[in-house]
Amino acid sequence: MPSASPELKALRVGGLRRRPVVRRVGRPLFPYATPVRVSLSISVAAVASLFAWGAWQRRWIADDGLIVLRTVRNLLAGNGPVFNQGERVEANTSTAWTYLMYVGSWISEPMRMEYVALALALGLSVLGVALLMFGTGRLFAPSLRGRRAIMLPAGALVYIALPPARDFATSGLESGLTLAYLGLLWWMMVCWSQPVRNRPESRTFTGALAFVAGFSVLVRPELALMGGLALIMMLIAGRTWRRRALIVLAGGFLPVAYQLFRMGYYGLLVPGTALAKDAAGDKWSQGMTYLANFDAPYAVWVPLVLLAPLGVLAAAARRRPSFLRPLLTPDYGRAARAVQSPPAVVAFMLVSGLLQALYWIRQGGDFMHGRVLLAPLFCLLAPVAVIPVQMPDGKDYSRETGYWVAGAVGLLWVGIAGWSLWAANSPGMGDDATHVSYSGIVDERRFYAQATGHAHPLTAADYLDYPRMAAILTALDNTPDGALLLPSGNYTQWDLVPMLPPAPGAAPQKPQHTVFFTNLGMVGMNVGLDVRVIDQIGLANPLAQHTERLKHGRIGHDKNLFPDWVIADGPWVKVYPGIPGYLDVNWVAQAVEALKCPETQAVLASVRAPMTPHRFVSNLLHAFEFTGYRIDRVPLYELARCGLPVPAAIPPPPHE
């Protein structure tokens, strides 16, 4: 029998027996040779520093980022996860980002929430890039043991060079959280794909990975495509039913629990933003326009063409036994070993990126330049986030061939570095960056910097310099008895619709204010929580959510509810001269009758009626029905759809 290893032998020192030193067989955290570890650490530090510095130079908080903060304000005030008091509308796409901001704002109070959002977004963005590079470094680490090699940044360098990537690192949106999530999932999946032979990974790691995979849908709904695929791979690789049960429980408990909460509380199957933007619809032509708009200013295809052969060379340089062993060794099933392997995890990341890209192209993209294609690109760059450059050792092929391979890798890397330097200084969309053209796509950061006059619009106060914003505060101060504010053609004033006077003998009503405007974030964060803020698109308007998507509307803004409905739906005067002259009093009257449609009343009650156990269960049972319900934005057509009578025509004012 072989003798025990020196680590397991008892040593006598000075007549005393020392406790045996036992090395635990497991998955090392940093399984790198010294040159690889040092070069990888330097690469990560350099890329992270460049990304943080570049993002800080372009720091800002988007109007959509301020939308999240309005919900956080309501949470902190005890009104629940809503945008307006008394109206349960989920105005934020990322559940995880909303509650992360809530916790961060609660801990850091009284710091401004905008600064909390800035710090969290920037920190998570940088963390995501670092995790991506560490995951790729670990992917190559086993094949580099005993070899002279260094790690150089490649795909990570491409990502941080893109101006939109640096823009959305500090936008106050969930982009930073998305990067951190993708980087973490990639690193954990690579660890999972490299189990110690004949020893399964621990239950703790399995449960943690399953939890992270299932958490995807709470980061962003479309990431469920990625998290679901990871869970399927884990289930296939699971060797026992207990292990599979753990994966299902850890991966599904939180998403399922929140989905039940969403259905019961909001009465919908999806976030309100998904309903407002018709996330299940398709606009392929607009999606291709969005893809071209993202690619053209930076020639993104160039680094992708350079990275493809670089990835092939890096994969070919791996030791063949370690690369093929998962496919050839039937330890506990060929299928399980094939799924739990580095090649399968690389394929998982590439397929996930392609699926996300196809989803967004089908959806039509976004109105923000480059934003929604950043996460898919991040996934596609993951397998080559860093690349190894090996010194020829003559083990797998001759030294001469090794020098040729190293030279080719070096030349490709120089090309990527050169492109990155050029792209980082690209003017982007150029003169069209701030113009809302037919495509509807703008450089959102530059647009708001120009419109507000602030190079770095960070706080809600900065947005008071946006057209119409300061006039809102003036209008609210001038209407102590309550009013509905409608945007007028004059940027320095608002059209006002007064409240209905109380009926004779009735108690006076509490004055109410409602602002009807597209830019919910800057309005919502500059007015009190007692002021209702709604839009025509449906992000915070439960009525507009249920209209049909306009075929040729601006992407992301392709629902448009007429202000007549807002007047009909509230305690406002509904006849001349109380309403603006450009509105049709008959449309308002028809909208009043259309709102009596029983199905519409049921939908509105699901978000406005007091939350009780009965209401929660009712919403839960009818969530599918409510999600698919649609109204016609033309009141007369809506009356016909509901089978309601048309009210008698109101004659025009005498002066007409």
Side-chain angles (χ1 to χ4, degrees), residues 589-590 592-594 596 635-636 638-640 642-648:
Q590 292 164 9
V592 170
E593 294 301 315
K596 297 177 182 178
L636 188 61
E638 177 64 8
L639 289 171
C642 289
L644 296 174
V646 179

Side-chain angles (χ1 to χ4, degrees), residues 90 95 217-218 221 252-271 616 619-620 623-624 627:
E90 191 176 13
T95 302
V217 69
L218 300 180
F253 176 77
L254 188 59
V256 171
Y258 186 79
Q259 180 62 21
L260 293 175
F261 169 78
R262 170 181 285 146
M263 294 167 65
Y265 190 77
Y266 297 109
L268 294 175
L269 297 174
V270 297
F616 188 92
N619 284 356
L620 190 69
F624 180 82
T627 303

Side-chain angles (χ1 to χ4, degrees), residues 273-550:
T273 53
L275 183 60
K277 298 185 179 184
D278 195 11
D282 63 89
K283 283 192 173 183
W284 284 102
S285 60
Q286 176 64 26
M288 295 305 296
T289 299
Y290 188 79
L291 177 63
N293 176 270
F294 177 53
D295 173 74
Y298 321 109
V300 179
W301 62 271
V302 171
L304 295 181
V305 168
L306 294 174
L307 285 169
L310 198 58
V312 172
L313 288 173
R318 290 171 58 97
R319 287 179 176 171
R320 289 176 180 79
S322 66
F323 186 77
L324 297 176
R325 187 185 298 122
L327 304 179
L328 302 178
T329 307
D331 289 351
Y332 54 90
R334 183 173 298 178
R337 290 293 294 169
V339 167
Q340 192 174 359
S341 67
V345 169
V346 169
F348 154 77
M349 206 66 176
L350 295 176
V351 169
S352 296
L354 289 174
L355 286 176
Q356 290 180 59
L358 285 174
Y359 167 79
W360 282 114
I361 293 172
R362 178 183 183 273
Q363 167 71 8
D366 192 38
F367 62 94
M368 301 185 194
H369 170 63
R371 177 198 170 199
V372 297
L373 292 180
L374 291 174
L377 180 64
F378 197 72
C379 294
L380 294 175
L381 295 173
V384 286
V386 294
I387 51 102
V389 180
Q390 300 182 35
M391 301 299 104
D393 55 12
K395 292 182 178 180
D396 290 334
Y397 34 65
S398 67
R399 287 182 178 273
E400 182 179 355
T401 303
Y403 283 119
W404 277 104
V405 172
V409 170
L411 285 175
L412 290 170
W413 185 85
V414 169
I416 290 170
W419 173 90
S420 299
L421 185 62
W422 169 80
N425 295 280
S426 167
M429 292 179 64
D431 294 337
D432 291 333
T434 58
H435 299 154
V436 183
S437 60
Y438 182 76
S439 71
I441 305 168
V442 298
D443 183 328
E444 195 83 345
R445 183 188 65 83
R446 289 175 60 184
F447 176 87
Y448 281 118
Q450 176 179 291
T452 61
H454 295 274
H456 305 288
L458 291 173
T459 66
D462 292 336
Y463 279 93
L464 287 175
D465 293 321
Y466 187 81
R468 293 194 174 96
M469 284 301 101
I472 289 179
L473 303 185
T474 301
L476 292 176
D477 289 339
N478 292 339
T479 53
D481 295 330
L484 167 66
L485 279 62
L486 301 176
S488 69
N490 188 335
Y491 284 177
T492 62
Q493 70 180 44
W494 286 74
D495 291 330
L496 305 177
V497 180
M499 284 187 64
L500 286 168
Q509 292 184 342
K510 180 182 178 181
Q512 300 180 38
H513 286 95
T514 295
V515 182
F516 183 62
F517 195 48
T518 306
N519 302 89
L520 292 171
M522 62 180 74
V523 178
M525 284 297 289
N526 277 303
V527 300
L529 294 179
D530 58 331
V531 178
R532 185 169 178 252
V533 181
I534 57 175
D535 62 320
Q536 71 269 36
I537 302 168
L539 296 177
N541 187 339
L543 200 59
Q545 280 182 354
H546 293 277
T547 58
E548 293 287 353
R549 190 182 191 186
L550 299 175

Side-chain angles (χ1 to χ4, degrees), residues 150-165:
I150 60 172
M151 289 286 191
L152 293 178
L157 203 60
V158 170
Y159 184 82
I160 70 169
L162 292 169

